[in-house]
Amino acid sequence: MIDAFEQDPLIIAGRELRSRFLFGTGRFPSPAVLQQALEASGAEVITFAVRRVNLESAEDDSVLQHFDGKRMAYLPNTSGARTAEEALRIARLAREAGLGNWIKVEISGDVRTLLPDPIETLRATEQLAREGFVVLPYTSDDPMLCRRLEEAGAAAVMPGGSPIGTGLGLLNPYNLGLIAEQAGVPVIVDAGIGSPKDAAEAMELGADGILANTPVAKAQDPVRMARAFKLAIEAGRLARLAGRIPKKKYASASSDLAGSLYEPAAAGRGGGAG
């Protein structure tokens, strides 16, 4: 029997992915733990900050050498960029170094909250899409901005559930649901995810995938947590496809009381003198 999940791939820019888990590679306690957690996650896309990579010898880089021989899609990101111009320069350098043409645009407008700058993100997305990049912009949970990014050529949109690294989970499920409902490209919820529960909730809201790093890397057992995220993402996706029951204001019995031993007495039964 073919697993139902095998028949439901995530497709980004024409590439089919069996896993809907995009895996962040930073902050792990050791390269060995990173490799074990990646294996447990089942992820096929890894993201990393270009500024952490030795672009003069990318194939021998201390980060990337651990993925040599693995069938992985690289998603370098522009973390650290403050303007569209900086993001463009980082993306071009990454492509020239042989890291491919996928790029996660990440432009933070505030050093304290690290919230994405919407104007600079849109500008960078437009230009990189013109240059043939597969652009996945990290953005806020603004449905209109996500629509504009899609119109600008984004191959997927990546709204945050809450500020990056906070673990606060989904602060605005309503907006995430709207984004998923209107999007014509994959929606990958990125940032703020704290636990597998958050990932499952995002998938049930209609997200197409989850990107997570800190909640796995900083868990007491990153390998087990990676496996937990894998299962939660799969469960959330299957639940979305299955269709949940509608919410109701009052209780509704799961079985019919008619004819049971606990059937309420009929009005007037047993009353009155003969």
Side-chain angles (χ1 to χ4, degrees):
M1 179 179 177
I2 300 177
D3 191 295
F5 226 63
E6 294 288 332
Q7 302 177 33
D8 181 38
L10 170 61
I11 302 176
I12 300 177
R15 178 161 184 167
E16 289 194 6
L17 302 166
R18 291 169 297 172
S19 172
R20 292 173 178 270
F21 189 5
L22 284 68
F23 198 82
T25 58
R27 312 188 75 180
F28 280 86
S30 72
V33 172
L34 167 57
Q35 287 190 25
Q36 293 170 36
L38 178 60
E39 186 71 25
S41 74
E44 298 169 271
V45 178
I46 55 171
T47 186
F48 48 86
V50 174
R51 59 192 172 89
R52 291 171 46 214
V53 174
N54 178 11
L55 295 179
E56 294 182 0
S57 183
E59 66 277 5
D60 298 324
D61 181 79
S62 59
V63 175
L64 299 184
Q65 67 177 342
H66 300 296
F67 310 115
D68 187 39
K70 290 182 169 58
R71 184 182 172 276
M72 306 297 300
Y74 285 174
L75 180 60
N77 66 63
T78 67
S79 173
R82 293 287 180 263
T83 66
E85 286 72 22
E86 289 180 10
L88 292 172
R89 180 177 58 82
I90 293 170
R92 291 163 182 160
L93 287 172
R95 184 161 66 178
E96 290 172 6
L99 298 179
N101 68 336
W102 283 35
I103 191 73
K104 176 189 172 188
V105 171
E106 189 172 328
I107 304 175
S108 299
D110 186 292
V111 295
R112 184 170 62 90
T113 65
L114 296 180
L115 289 172
D117 185 312
I119 306 302
E120 297 298 300
T121 298
L122 182 58
R123 288 180 57 217
T125 298
E126 288 174 331
Q127 183 59 37
L128 289 170
R130 289 194 200 103
E131 296 180 17
F133 283 89
V134 175
V135 189
L136 287 77
Y138 163 55
T139 181
S140 62
D141 58 0
D142 181 341
M144 285 306 304
L145 178 57
C146 286
R147 180 183 296 177
R148 295 290 180 256
L149 289 167
E150 181 180 340
E151 293 170 350
V157 291
M158 307 182 73
S162 53
I164 191 167
T166 62
L168 292 173
L170 311 184
L171 296 184
N172 198 337
Y174 177 75
N175 271 21
L176 291 176
L178 287 179
I179 292 168
E181 180 181 315
Q182 74 178 16
V185 295
V187 175
I188 313 296
V189 174
D190 175 21
I193 298 290
S195 73
K197 172 186 72 69
D198 301 328
E201 181 183 1
M203 296 300 291
E204 287 194 51
L205 287 169
D208 297 287
I210 300 294
L211 192 153
N213 183 183
T214 303
V216 176
K218 290 300 183 180
Q220 294 182 23
D221 187 333
V223 179
R224 284 184 173 175
M225 188 61 78
R227 173 69 173 168
F229 264 89
K230 175 183 185 294
L231 296 175
I233 292 167
E234 292 182 1
R237 175 64 177 176
L238 290 173
R240 173 71 178 186
L241 295 177
R244 64 156 290 149
I245 63 171
K247 294 182 179 181
K248 298 180 179 180
K249 186 176 181 180
Y250 299 109
S252 176
S254 59
S255 58
D256 191 351
L257 293 178
S260 74
L261 293 176
Y262 303 101
E263 182 181 0
R269 180 181 297 173

